[in-house]
Structure formats: C-alpha cells, structure tokens
Amino acid sequence: MNFEDLSSLRPDLAFIAHWVPQQSHVLDVGCGDGAMLRYLQSGKGCTGYGIEIADQSLLASARRGINVIQQDMEKGLGLFSDNSFDTVLCLSSLQMMQHVEALLRDIVRVGAEAIVSFPNFAYWPHRMALLRGRMPVSKSLPYQWYDTPNVRCATIYDFEELAQECGLEVLERVALADGKPVSFLPNLRGSLAVFRLRKKTQPAA
C-alpha cells in the first residue's frame, strides 16, 4: 500500500502518518483493519504491533501481514513495559473507552510519544443537530444514538484539559476536515481532532 492508496482510503490516516518518524517502533491501539500499520511498515520502514478486539478487524489486519494481538483495550497495556515504543497510535478509538484517563496514561507510559485522534463533538454540524434537538450523525460520528460504539463525547478544548491533568505535553494539535487541516476556528470547523503528545519532562533538580 503506497501513500496515495492511504490518502484515498483514509485521508485522516494519510495526514497522521507524516507525524510518525521513519523506522519507528509503533504500537497501534485499536488498529482496526491494519491499514495504518501496513503503510507505516511498507512506506516508512516501521516495525510494531497492533491491538484489536473485533474478530473481523483482527482477520483483516492479519491478512495485511500485521503483527496483531487480540486484546480488550479496557484491560490496559500491562503486557508492554515502559517506553517499549517510539510512537503509540490511538486513532478514533479513545472515545469508545469507559476509562479514557487510565488508557491515556498507559499509552504515554509505553510510548515515547503518542498520537491520539477522536471525533470533535464541537464540529458545527454536530452543534446544529443538537440545536434541532437531535443527536449528531456525520462522517466522523456515523452511528445512530442507539447503536453507537462511542461512550464518550469530547471537544478539542476538553481533551486539552485532560492532557494537562494527566501531565502530558501537547507537541502538536490539528483539527481535520475531510483529512485536511483547519486553521481558522478549528474547534468549530474541524470534524476530527488529532493530538501528538508526550509525558512532560521533569525539570532538573
């Protein structure tokens, strides 16, 4: 799979991929069908593992040649030691977790850096849906309220506060619309929030 394939398949993944350095050791938490890891391996010489719980996604990842572990992300990343990876990805999965803060802390424990993405609930079509008295349905939130796997809703500002509470440094923050960065009014005009994070370094004594 080349970069153009990833761009047509998932424009958000194509953008996020450029944040991952060449030849990194990567953990993809909630790797889905393995498209991202496959590109990183073939296009950027990366190594690593995916974590996935769904049988169909696990099979799709395996068919792409991904080293994938079947595990419930809610149980944490205890099988990995501190700083086992250069980069940990958690892309459009965090909002499906019951214990977001615990998983976020675990992600930055096992990785030198983390890249997290999630649907931005403050996106203007979502606000309009709520004004009409309806739950939002969009490309980034494609489910009806009664069958959604999402158990958490967050905005860009909400996640920034959580990152601070968890002692994380935001290295980069981007709002995407159709896979392209939004610079003007990002919390209103971006459908997907993407953060690059790391643990805050302790000042020298």
Side-chain angles (χ1 to χ4, degrees):
M1 178 177 294
N2 57 33
F3 195 84
E4 288 71 28
D5 290 334
L6 193 61
S7 296
S8 61
L9 183 65
R10 285 281 302 275
D12 58 316
L13 296 187
F15 176 86
I16 292 166
H18 88 271
W19 279 357
V20 181
Q22 295 274 349
Q23 299 182 326
S24 296
H25 193 46
V26 177
L27 178 66
D28 192 347
V29 180
C31 64
D33 62 8
M36 181 62 142
L37 264 180
R38 176 61 180 157
Y39 168 72
L40 293 175
Q41 288 179 357
S42 61
K44 305 193 80 170
C46 296
T47 59
Y49 300 90
I51 292 179
E52 183 55 58
I53 187 66
D55 290 337
Q56 275 192 318
S57 296
L58 196 81
L59 183 59
S61 289
R63 284 174 174 164
R64 280 193 160 102
I66 302 304
N67 294 319
V68 59
I69 301 167
Q70 188 167 29
Q71 180 173 317
D72 184 353
M73 292 180 289
E74 293 282 10
K75 295 181 179 177
L77 304 175
L79 67 164
F80 300 112
S81 58
D82 295 1
N83 300 312
S84 298
F85 298 90
D86 300 309
T87 304
V88 179
L89 306 174
C90 186
L91 307 179
S92 297
S93 298
L94 203 63
Q95 75 279 1
M96 301 178 187
M97 300 296 104
Q98 289 283 351
H99 307 290
V100 172
E101 183 177 354
L103 180 59
L104 188 59
R105 290 182 187 276
D106 224 9
I107 285 170
V108 297
R109 177 186 66 80
V110 303
E113 289 190 4
I115 301 174
V116 174
S117 71
F118 57 90
N120 176 28
F121 205 69
Y123 182 41
W124 72 265
H126 300 164
R127 301 187 193 199
M128 293 300 296
L130 291 170
L131 284 174
R132 294 194 300 269
R134 305 298 298 270
M135 285 297 290
V137 177
S138 67
K139 283 184 180 180
S140 58
L141 290 173
Y143 303 95
Q144 296 292 339
W145 66 270
Y146 52 82
D147 66 357
T148 179
N150 300 324
V151 296
R152 301 284 180 238
C153 298
T155 72
I156 291 171
Y157 299 151
D158 291 328
F159 188 82
E160 281 184 334
E161 287 184 1
L162 176 61
Q164 288 223 342
E165 289 174 15
C166 291
L168 306 182
E169 179 183 358
V170 176
L171 300 173
E172 295 187 73
R173 183 202 78 179
V174 173
L176 300 179
D178 296 322
K180 296 178 181 179
V182 175
S183 55
F184 179 65
L185 297 176
N187 201 39
L188 180 69
R189 298 177 58 241
S191 61
L192 188 76
V194 188
F195 283 77
R196 189 164 72 93
L197 309 158
R198 71 180 176 195
K199 294 182 290 289
K200 284 184 180 176
T201 53
Q202 299 296 326

